[in-house]
């Protein structure tokens, strides 16, 4: 609110803007109308004077004494009359304005419209031919035009003022319509930042404001879902940590209290080492995932022979698989397959997927690590002969702890972070990772497509997993 007070409110800005625009429009309109009123007033007076002249021209002047009578018919003293006889003689109070050119025009049957000086005053001159061959001329002082102009300009002020006031009121109403949902959205955003959830912003106002409200509602739902997932994950983490800690603490207390002695001590030590290694793996997975999600994560890229990399990895995993009586197989091109990537991270990705597959593969079943070229990059696959994945499993395969929570107590599970780490590693390397429900070996299949260099794949960032049944 302090920022709004310092920078000025949107409502005030809208009112000021609309009022300013209205004021500029009123001034421009007023200036234009001010000039046009004078021209229109003169045109109206000329038209009226011309009509009077045409009416009087229909009354033929029978004699010179009719001149005074026609003068009275013409109107007030301000309007003066001149009569041009067919002989060219001009008579009447306004005879002075009928010069030779105007007299010839009237005698030739043409109308006359001009401005002239009469008794020191500027007058309008309107003349029309008569039926007898002469002409009749009426004059009116320019002061009559000025008076008409003043009346019309006086009537212009009120509409302009009303227009300005109306624009200000319209601006205030518009500002209220626009800012009310914005203020509501801002308040909701503040409440969201303070931890409140389940809030709803009414989608009212213009389309853009309604879109903002919809985005906040979506954000609220996303935050609630994300925080729920985080709580579930933290509960899972606490469970994973508590179990080995409880076991290690029990054996440590037994050793300290000399409950375990003699030949039992080496076995207790092996249990302690196993539980500590389990904790180390779990904490290592957490740190790896945290580093992968950090904005400053960097890749050390270089020319990497993937054929040599998987051959080296196969040597290590063949030994581990043999200990678990799992049939390990390697499928590779047998020739160098070089791309520009981070070899250490690719090996980390291979190890993570292979460890996940080994955990789910029963004794006597196969586990396959495969590499093949596929333009424009390469494809890594890890296939196993385990129980495989359902369609529902595939939908959440790369979410932290999702499969671990689902299969805890049913099949061997790890920390729940391995596939999430694999997904982030593949994304960081510019590639994609896909989970398939069934492999030719009967279990799950995970496919990683690596680009020829990191910049050739999807841009770095969190992406939803690509999955296929």
């Amino acid at each position: 609110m302090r920022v709004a007070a310092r920078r000025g409110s949107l409502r005030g800005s809208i009112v000021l803007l609309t009022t300013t625009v209205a004021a500029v429009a009123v001034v421009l309109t007023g200036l234009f109308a001010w000039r046009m009123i004078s021209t229109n007033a003169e045109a109206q007076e000329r038209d009226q004077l011309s009509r009077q002249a045409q009416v009087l021209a229909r009354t033929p002047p029978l004699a010179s004494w009719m001149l005074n009578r026609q003068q009275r018919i013409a109107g007030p003293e301000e309007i003066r009359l001149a009569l041009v006889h067919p002989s060219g003689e001009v008579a009447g109070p306004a005879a002075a304005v009928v010069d030779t050119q105007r007299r010839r025009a009237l005698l030739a049957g043409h109308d006359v419209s001009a401005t002239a000086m009469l008794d020191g005053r500027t007058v309008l001159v309107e003349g029309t031919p008569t039926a007898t061959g002469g002409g009749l001329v009426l004059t009116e002082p320019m002061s009559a035009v000025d008076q008409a102009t003043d009346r019309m300009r006086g009537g212009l002020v009120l509409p302009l003022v009303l227009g300005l006031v109306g624009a200000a009121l319209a601006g205030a109403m518009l500002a209220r319509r626009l800012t009310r949902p914005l203020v509501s959205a801002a308040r909701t955003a503040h409440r969201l930042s303070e931890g409140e959830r389940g809030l709803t912003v009414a989608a009212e106002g213009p389309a853009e404001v309604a879109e903002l409200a919809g985005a906040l509602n979506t954000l609220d739902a996303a935050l609630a879902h994300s925080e729920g997932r985080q709580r579930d994950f933290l509960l899972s983490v606490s469970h994973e940590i508590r179990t080995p800690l409880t076991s290690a603490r029990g054996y440590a207390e037994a050793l300290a209290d000399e409950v375990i002695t003699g030949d039992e001590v080496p076995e207790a030590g092996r249990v302690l080492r196993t539980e500590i290694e389990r904790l180390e793996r779990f904490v290592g997975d957490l740190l790896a995932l945290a580093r992968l999600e950090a904005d400053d994560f960097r890749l050390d890229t270089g020319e990497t022979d993937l054929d040599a990399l998987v051959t080296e990895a196969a040597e290590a995993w063949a030994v581990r698989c043999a200990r678990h009586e799992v049939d390990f197989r390697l499928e590779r091109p047998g020739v160098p397959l070089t791309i520009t990537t981070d070899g250490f991270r690719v090996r980390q990705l291979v190890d993570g997927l292979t460890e996940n597959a080994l955990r789910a593969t029963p004794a006597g079943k196969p586990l396959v690590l495969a590499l093949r070229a596929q333009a424009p990059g390469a494809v890594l696959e890890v296939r196993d002969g385990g129980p495989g994945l359902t369609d529902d499993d595939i939908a959440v395969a790369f979410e932290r702890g999702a499969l671990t929570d689902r299969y805890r107590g049913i099949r061997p599970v790890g920390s729940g972070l391995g596939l999430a780490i694999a997904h982030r590693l593949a994304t960081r390397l510019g590639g994609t990772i896909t989970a398939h429900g069934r492999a030719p070996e009967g279990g799950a299949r995970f496919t990683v497509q690596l680009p020829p260099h990191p910049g050739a794949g999807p841009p770095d960032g969190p992406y939803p997993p690509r999955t296929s049944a």
Side-chain angles (χ1 to χ4, degrees), residues 214-297:
L216 282 175
N217 293 334
T218 303
L219 175 62
D220 176 58
L223 287 174
H225 176 72
S226 176
E227 290 172 356
R229 291 282 310 283
Q230 288 179 1
R231 284 192 297 269
D232 294 340
F233 178 69
L234 289 176
L235 289 174
S236 175
V237 168
S238 65
H239 176 80
E240 293 291 338
I241 292 177
R242 185 183 296 112
T243 301
L245 281 178
T246 301
S247 177
R249 180 177 180 178
Y251 276 95
E253 290 177 350
L255 289 171
D257 296 339
E258 297 184 354
V259 175
I260 298 177
T261 59
D263 295 339
E264 296 175 337
V265 172
E267 180 62 24
R270 284 192 293 272
V271 173
L272 282 173
R273 183 179 63 186
T274 301
E275 297 301 326
I276 290 173
E277 288 175 350
R278 180 179 173 186
L279 277 174
E280 285 180 343
R281 287 196 302 271
F282 188 75
V283 172
D285 286 347
L286 285 175
L287 292 175
L289 187 61
R291 283 193 293 268
L292 284 168
E293 293 180 346
D295 292 336
D296 58 352
F297 181 84

Side-chain angles (χ1 to χ4, degrees), residues 51-61 70 128-132 135-136:
R51 291 176 182 275
Q52 292 180 6
Q54 291 173 3
V55 171
L56 292 175
R58 296 192 186 101
T59 306
Q70 289 179 329
T128 184
T130 61
T132 58
L136 187 138

Side-chain angles (χ1 to χ4, degrees), residues 359-391:
R359 187 182 304 113
T361 304
K365 295 293 183 178
L367 190 158
V368 179
L369 172 61
L371 170 69
R372 66 177 183 273
Q374 180 173 304
V379 172
L380 287 167
E381 275 191 352
V382 175
R383 309 191 300 267
D384 63 66
L389 299 173
T390 67
D391 292 345

